[in-house]
Amino acid sequence: CNPIYHDEITEQQVEEVRLKYELPKRYLLTVGDMEERKNFGLIVDAMAELSDDVELVVVGRATSYTKRMKRRIKTLGLEERVHFLRNVPLEDRPAIYKGAEIFVQPSIYEGFSVEILEALSVGVPVIATRGSSHEEAGGDGSIYVSSKDCGELAEAIERLRGEPLLALQMVERGYQHVKLFRSEVAAYNLLKSYRRIGITLAE
């Protein structure tokens, strides 16, 4: 992911973006354009099963699917607990991630979820859905749930919010996992692969 996510993020920076975007003090976060495959409805339905102090911040481009989800949010009475952010510049995103309690990636399909790496890089525990590329991106320190079971997602969120030690352990394992995706490590592994099949690159 972008090197900006590897920079230190101060509490002051987190507070500044919280005030700038009027974010709640505690929130879940999901990031990505609101396409149907992103399965945002899973989080919306899970929110209805969680206590009223759980709020969600959504960062991404609006689509026709967003309109459907907003109708669902209204039906469930969640308008005050779900916050949509659009056109967030790159420089503000790491602090928005850092301020989150949990990053949730509910997609049915992803080629590769860079957003998971972004969350792990700044020290936020991740809950993602099983399958696709999520396990590769999130490593064995993240929690995985069904893409069709909002109850399982709600249980995972409740568990993680109620077990600070588990959250800290997931953060530490996440830091170790994202090292595998640093550009220098990727370049080294690519060179090893070339050499394994007998290709020599010019110096």
Side-chain angles (χ1 to χ4, degrees), residues 183-202:
S183 57
E184 60 271 22
V185 176
Y188 174 75
N189 288 332
L190 182 60
L191 284 172
K192 281 204 322 183
S193 298
Y194 281 141
R195 290 174 181 139
R196 190 177 303 123
I197 60 174
I199 297 175
T200 302
L201 298 181

Side-chain angles (χ1 to χ4, degrees), residues 16 43 73:
E16 285 173 355
I43 310 181
I73 288 167

Side-chain angles (χ1 to χ4, degrees), residues 132-147:
S132 190
S133 62
H134 292 162
E135 287 92 339
E136 181 185 0
D140 62 6
S142 298
I143 293 174
Y144 302 98
V145 300
S146 169
S147 62

Side-chain angles (χ1 to χ4, degrees), residues 68-102:
R68 286 166 49 194
M69 288 301 100
K70 285 187 174 181
R71 289 195 293 269
R72 178 69 174 158
I73 288 167
K74 184 175 182 180
T75 297
L76 294 172
L78 299 172
E79 299 102 314
E80 300 300 317
R81 294 169 54 195
V82 182
H83 313 271
F84 290 89
L85 302 183
R86 303 287 175 256
N87 303 314
V88 177
L90 175 62
E91 58 267 24
D92 288 344
R93 292 193 175 213
I96 291 174
Y97 273 102
K98 185 71 174 179
E101 284 188 276
I102 303 167

Side-chain angles (χ1 to χ4, degrees), residues 89-143:
L90 175 62
E91 58 267 24
D92 288 344
R93 292 193 175 213
I96 291 174
Y97 273 102
K98 185 71 174 179
E101 284 188 276
I102 303 167
F103 178 77
V104 182
Q105 175 61 285
S107 302
I108 297 170
Y109 171 78
E110 290 287 344
F112 187 84
S113 182
V114 174
E115 294 85 2
I116 288 177
L117 288 186
E118 291 169 350
L120 295 177
S121 294
V122 303
V124 178
V126 168
I127 299 175
T129 45
R130 300 186 193 96
S132 190
S133 62
H134 292 162
E135 287 92 339
E136 181 185 0
D140 62 6
S142 298
I143 293 174

